[in-house]
């Protein structure tokens, strides 16, 4: 794996607390234990594009009014979906 910021190979997988605005823009939630990449060279701690897409899709597909202000990544991803997939994603 290579750092997306400095292209160093001194990266490892970790988890981190992140803050995410829900799609309707009404609130921000804290997501604990989010899969992340930590670069030991430049110090950047970030989420992969795949993780970002998974979180954003999940937030579109669940009843966001039921979200707590703070929750674990696994809890968010296990929340029941209202739709099977994100029909608003035209990148596929």
């Amino acid at each position: 794996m290579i750092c997306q910021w400095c292209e160093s190979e001194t990266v490892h997988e970790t988890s981190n607390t992140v803050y995410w605005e829900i799609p309707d823009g009404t609130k921000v939630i804290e997501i604990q234990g989010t899969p992340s990449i930590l670069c030991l060279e430049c110090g950047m701690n970030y989420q992969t594009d795949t993780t970002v897409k998974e979180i954003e899709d999940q937030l579109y597909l669940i009843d966001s009014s039921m979200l707590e202000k703070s929750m674990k990544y696994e809890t968010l991803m296990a929340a029941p979906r209202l739709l099977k997939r994100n029909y608003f994603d035209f990148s596929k």
Side-chain angles (χ1 to χ4, degrees), residues 15-18 29-35 55 58-59 62 67-79:
S15 63
N16 200 11
T17 298
V18 298
I29 61 169
E30 177 185 72
I31 308 170
Q32 303 164 357
T34 305
I55 292 170
Q58 183 69 351
L59 290 172
I62 63 175
L67 291 174
E68 301 287 328
K69 288 183 178 186
S70 179
M71 60 192 330
K72 293 186 179 193
Y73 173 81
E74 293 82 12
T75 304
L76 171 65
M77 299 312 287

Side-chain angles (χ1 to χ4, degrees), residues 13-58:
E13 294 180 14
T14 185
S15 63
N16 200 11
T17 298
V18 298
Y19 299 87
W20 222 275
E21 182 178 8
I22 62 170
D24 65 10
T26 58
K27 64 181 172 181
V28 173
I29 61 169
E30 177 185 72
I31 308 170
Q32 303 164 357
T34 305
S36 302
I37 304 297
L38 175 63
C39 178
L40 302 176
E41 183 89 17
C42 70
M44 196 59 123
N45 193 330
Y46 62 93
Q47 289 70 50
T48 64
D49 292 341
T50 302
T51 300
V52 169
K53 180 161 178 28
E54 289 171 354
I55 292 170
E56 289 180 351
D57 282 350
Q58 183 69 351

